[in-house]
């Protein structure tokens, strides 16, 4: 395991639209995966990570339009018994 207890993971990810209902993710019209905030929280928790920060953001401009997404910071849980 590369990320030590208390270690931080930071990333940006595209925000899913209406097609992600139920699954929590979709492949959008640009051919990129996009996810819902709830899906991220559940998936990170399953990997022993807790969300420290999750903010909506305009990630970039693409074809003249802003791409909506999220900037996430997650923390690895402390090792059991420490």
């Amino acid at each position: 395991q590369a990320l030590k207890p208390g270690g931080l993971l930071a990333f940006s990810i595209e925000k899913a639209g209406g097609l992600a209902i139920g699954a929590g993710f979709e492949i959008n019209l640009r051919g990129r995966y996009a996810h819902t905030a709830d899906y991220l929280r559940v998936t990170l928790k399953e990997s022993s990570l807790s969300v420290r920060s999750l903010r909506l953001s305009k990630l970039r401009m693409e074809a003249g339009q802003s791409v909506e997404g999220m900037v996430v910071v997650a923390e690895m849980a402390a090792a059991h018994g420490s």
Side-chain angles (χ1 to χ4, degrees), residues 1 3-7 45 47-50 74-80 82:
Q1 192 168 352
L3 192 59
K4 303 292 183 202
K45 185 176 182 179
S47 299
S48 300
L49 291 155
S50 61
E75 180 178 4
M76 178 59 79
H80 294 294
S82 54

Side-chain angles (χ1 to χ4, degrees), residues 2-3 12 19 30 35 39 42 62 68 75 81:
L3 192 59
S12 63
L19 298 176
R30 295 177 298 278
H35 301 77
Y39 179 82
V42 168
E62 191 169 301
E68 299 295 320
E75 180 178 4

Side-chain angles (χ1 to χ4, degrees), residues 15-66:
K15 182 176 174 275
L19 298 176
I21 301 299
F25 62 90
E26 66 187 19
I27 299 177
N28 60 31
L29 297 175
R30 295 177 298 278
R32 295 176 185 259
Y33 279 93
H35 301 77
T36 64
D38 287 342
Y39 179 82
L40 288 175
R41 285 185 181 95
V42 168
T43 303
L44 288 167
K45 185 176 182 179
E46 289 172 353
S47 299
S48 300
L49 291 155
S50 61
V51 175
R52 295 262 310 254
S53 173
L54 189 151
R55 289 197 264 173
L56 296 177
S57 180
K58 292 180 181 174
L59 301 178
R60 65 179 178 282
M61 296 296 290
E62 191 169 301
Q65 296 186 346
S66 63

